Amino acid sequence: ARPAIWPTVDRSDSDPEKWHLSLAYPISKDELDLIDDNNLVEPSNRNRRQTHWQMMFNAKDQLRQKMGFALQQIVVISAEADTIEDNMYGASNYQDQLNKNAFNHYRDVLGFVNWSPLMGRWLSSLQNQKGADLDGDGNNDIFPDENLAREDMQLFSIGLFERWPDGSLRLGSDGLPIPTYTNDDIREFAKVLTGQSFGQYNSTSDPWGGVAYSALVENTDFDRGQNTDGRLTLRYSYPMKMFGAYHDLSVKTFAGTTIDNTHLTDPTLQGIADIKQALDWLAGKPGDSLPDYEMVNSHRSVPAFICRRLIQRFTTSNPSKDYLHRVATVFKDNEGDLGKTIKAILLDSEARIVDLSNTTFGLKKSSIESYIQILRT
């Protein structure tokens, strides 16, 4: 029989990343196993996808849904990883948080992503730790994982080459494009992203839900297993935490900035400060009354790189330089405000005036968006 009462999400905490189920999940681990053994309908990644499509189909906030979908295509995680596929609640929460940040600053998006255990699992920053000299010869034998460090730059913020606000390449004195980073920069940034592991965990034999974030069991084991241990685990539903003993405490220099928080004697606080400062460089620092995206407080290539990708998911695959420049200027002048950026994208004259003779404007909708549009119509 179906449970009489299903829990809702308790949204009383001001931080959406700390929301929790109002009641205990009404199906136990043993009951879920029984459902699975009998090939009955069960919570699964397939159900998660169908739920997401239903939300996109029925939601009243269509622009927010579409922006969240666009962001997911930039800061990608995938259920191709078995752990993510098996943890459909965490994966759903990842999309929910992108939707929540859809009209916030891009710094909010990049901050969420870099503390998400789902992204940590997908791009292997979860339980990434400082280098170590195992044989005592004075040289490190293991090194921090570089995966997320590279993609934070290449895919999530500054791209491969420096750009002018209209998207054109900046050229060096040799006439060649100026790289935004090198392999050395990746290695340095990888040191920043060390020391993160699960923030919360629970025994999967315990009921999930009905407990506020502040009352959850905080994880104290950096090496806690990454397997989900069933559908009732919550370790992937809340942000990671910093374990200072595993964080690289050196000064780091990458992509035009230097991260130096060595004045902080608490390694956990230094680790948190290092990540914050690095992400401020890549995505700006809203609200500090300082200019962004000018190679003093943050990298200058971000507006053109991110705005081009947003335009490509809303209006046209090949925006003109003028169109991109206008949108990137709004992004830059408003510290990466995504709400104002999407308004600039959709209300720009190039997007609003239909010119059927223009054979370079427009885009092919993704299959899921085309299908949902047909259903909505």
Side-chain angles (χ1 to χ4, degrees):
R2 294 180 178 178
I5 299 176
W6 284 88
T8 58
V9 177
D10 187 322
R11 297 177 171 84
S12 58
D13 196 296
S14 60
D15 182 356
E17 292 186 37
K18 297 180 180 179
W19 291 348
H20 61 281
L21 291 184
S22 58
L23 302 170
Y25 192 77
I27 300 178
S28 69
K29 181 178 183 299
D30 289 339
E31 290 171 324
L32 286 171
D33 290 341
L34 184 62
I35 291 172
D36 188 37
D37 292 341
N38 287 276
N39 296 315
L40 300 175
V41 176
E42 58 177 326
S44 66
N45 184 61
R46 179 184 64 185
N47 300 141
R48 178 195 61 80
R49 290 200 309 267
Q50 292 174 346
T51 300
H52 186 194
W53 298 340
Q54 285 286 342
M55 289 177 63
M56 294 175 71
F57 175 48
N58 291 296
K60 304 299 183 182
D61 55 347
Q62 283 294 301
L63 185 58
R64 179 181 295 278
Q65 296 292 326
K66 190 171 177 64
M67 183 60 127
F69 185 58
L71 291 172
Q72 165 64 275
Q73 296 170 71
I74 297 174
V75 289
V76 176
I77 64 168
S78 172
E80 288 301 305
D82 290 343
T83 303
I84 297 176
E85 179 182 10
D86 293 341
N87 194 58
M88 69 295 301
Y89 297 112
S92 296
N93 182 60
Y94 187 88
Q95 184 63 57
D96 287 344
Q97 296 301 326
L98 294 183
N99 291 353
K100 186 267 293 184
N101 284 312
F103 306 133
N104 293 345
H105 293 89
Y106 188 66
R107 174 63 176 83
D108 298 318
V109 174
L110 205 61
F112 161 70
V113 164
N114 275 266
W115 286 99
S116 166
L118 270 298
M119 179 58 77
R121 175 64 182 82
W122 178 242
L123 289 182
S124 50
S125 67
L126 176 62
Q127 296 169 346
N128 187 24
Q129 56 184 295
K130 62 185 178 182
D133 176 12
L134 300 179
D135 57 14
D137 66 354
N139 297 312
N140 282 348
D141 302 295
I142 60 174
F143 302 87
D145 186 278
E146 300 171 0
N147 208 6
L148 180 57
R150 179 180 58 253
E151 307 303 16
D152 261 332
M153 295 186 289
Q154 180 178 336
L155 300 180
F156 302 168
S157 62
I158 59 180
L160 290 172
F161 300 103
E162 291 199 19
R163 303 269 176 181
W164 293 100
D166 65 0
S168 57
L169 293 169
R170 290 178 180 266
L171 304 180
S173 57
D174 57 3
L176 298 176
I178 303 173
T180 50
Y181 63 89
T182 65
N183 284 334
D184 287 340
D185 293 324
I186 295 174
R187 283 190 285 268
E188 286 289 289
F189 190 12
K191 296 177 184 177
V192 173
L193 298 173
T194 53
Q196 294 170 292
S197 188
F198 295 109
Q200 307 289 340
Y201 83 101
N202 66 318
S203 169
T204 53
S205 61
D206 296 334
W208 175 43
V211 178
Y213 178 87
S214 59
L216 294 175
V217 179
E218 184 175 358
N219 177 39
T220 58
D221 180 5
F222 179 81
D223 294 317
R224 188 167 297 282
Q226 293 190 20
N227 292 333
T228 57
D229 295 330
R231 296 166 182 81
L232 300 186
T233 185
L234 54 75
R235 69 189 65 182
Y236 283 100
S237 295
Y238 293 103
M240 294 186 288
K241 61 177 280 190
M242 175 59 63
F243 289 76
Y246 296 87
H247 180 72
D248 187 301
L249 300 178
S250 65
V251 177
K252 301 94 173 170
T253 297
F254 78 98
T257 191
T258 296
I259 307 296
D260 183 359
N261 290 299
T262 54
H263 61 284
L264 297 174
T265 57
D266 185 326
T268 295
L269 295 181
Q270 181 180 332
I272 295 171
D274 281 355
I275 294 177
K276 179 183 183 302
Q277 192 172 333
L279 297 183
D280 287 346
W281 177 254
L282 293 181
K285 188 178 179 181
D288 63 352
S289 300
L290 298 174
D292 285 317
Y293 316 117
E294 29 59 290
M295 297 304 286
V296 175
N297 299 301
S298 54
H299 203 286
R300 61 191 171 197
S301 294
V302 178
F305 184 83
I306 294 300
C307 288
R308 180 180 178 85
R309 274 140 192 81
L310 291 175
I311 291 172
Q312 288 175 325
R313 284 155 182 81
F314 280 91
T315 54
T316 182
S317 300
N318 299 289
S320 69
K321 290 183 178 181
D322 290 342
Y323 183 14
L324 179 53
H325 186 275
R326 290 191 291 269
V327 174
T329 299
V330 171
F331 184 101
K332 180 179 186 296
D333 290 347
N334 292 281
E335 302 181 302
D337 187 310
L338 294 174
K340 294 179 179 178
T341 299
I342 188 57
K343 182 177 180 180
I345 290 172
L346 296 178
L347 299 183
D348 190 89
S349 58
E350 190 164 328
R352 303 296 293 176
I353 300 175
V354 178
D355 181 2
L356 298 181
S357 66
N358 186 345
T359 59
T360 64
F361 188 88
L363 58 83
K364 182 174 177 58
K365 287 187 178 181
S366 67
S367 300
I368 184 62
E369 289 174 289
S370 297
Y371 184 57
I372 287 173
Q373 183 177 14
I374 291 173
L375 294 179
R376 286 179 59 81
T377 300

